[in-house]
Amino acid sequence: MTMLTGFVERGGRPAAVKPTIPLMVGEKQYGWFPVDVTGVGRRLAVVTNRRLILGAEEYQLRSVTRLRPRQDDWALALETRGSGTVEISGPWVPWLSVVLCAEMYGAAWPPGYAPVIPGPRRRLRRYETVQ
């Protein structure tokens, strides 16, 4: 995911995969994987450049008003017009959030949610004084 995040931040876009569902004209599928939907259970998630499909439910990306990632729980809350809030979690959800943000915002993270990534450690230099 770190490589995908860096790639998106440099202006790249995720690569499309071979479709596993019928797509609309001009639509690209980015992946499919299991996720846990809060209050519903495990569902298969399919992400495209226009929609997120969670089992039988379909969410158009243009109807998503806000994304709230929680990296510590591998969770993502999607606030949508008309459908309310949907929260998904699982090991693939951080990757999914980067893909959704790349399509919606052109960035790896939604506005205001850029993670704090510690920089590389530097070795302490010890100086000896000569007297």
Side-chain angles (χ1 to χ4, degrees):
M1 189 186 93
T2 304
M3 289 175 56
L4 177 61
T5 302
F7 181 65
V8 170
E9 287 298 320
R10 290 187 305 273
R13 290 288 176 263
V17 298
K18 184 176 179 182
T20 59
I21 61 169
L23 299 176
M24 296 181 271
V25 175
E27 189 174 26
K28 296 180 269 182
Q29 182 176 335
Y30 293 124
W32 58 275
F33 42 85
V35 297
D36 292 315
V37 181
T38 302
V40 179
R42 183 155 286 209
R43 296 289 184 260
L44 187 63
V46 179
V47 61
T48 74
N49 62 331
R50 293 188 183 171
R51 56 193 168 143
L52 174 65
I53 302 163
L54 300 172
E57 296 292 320
E58 184 175 305
Y59 302 94
Q60 297 291 329
L61 294 187
R62 67 176 181 249
S63 70
V64 175
T65 58
R66 185 174 177 201
L67 295 174
R68 288 181 291 135
R70 286 197 339 249
Q71 289 134 334
D72 56 331
D73 295 337
W74 290 351
L76 176 69
L78 292 95
E79 293 180 15
T80 61
R81 286 188 293 271
S83 299
T85 301
V86 177
E87 187 168 313
I88 58 175
S89 61
W92 284 99
V93 172
W95 178 87
L96 168 72
S97 66
V98 173
V99 172
L100 290 175
C101 289
E103 285 302 314
M104 295 173 61
Y105 307 115
W109 305 101
Y113 281 93
V116 176
I117 300 172
R121 291 186 180 181
R122 293 186 180 178
R123 293 179 72 185
L124 293 175
R125 293 184 182 180
R126 296 185 184 204
Y127 295 101
E128 292 183 24
T129 57
V130 179
Q131 295 181 347

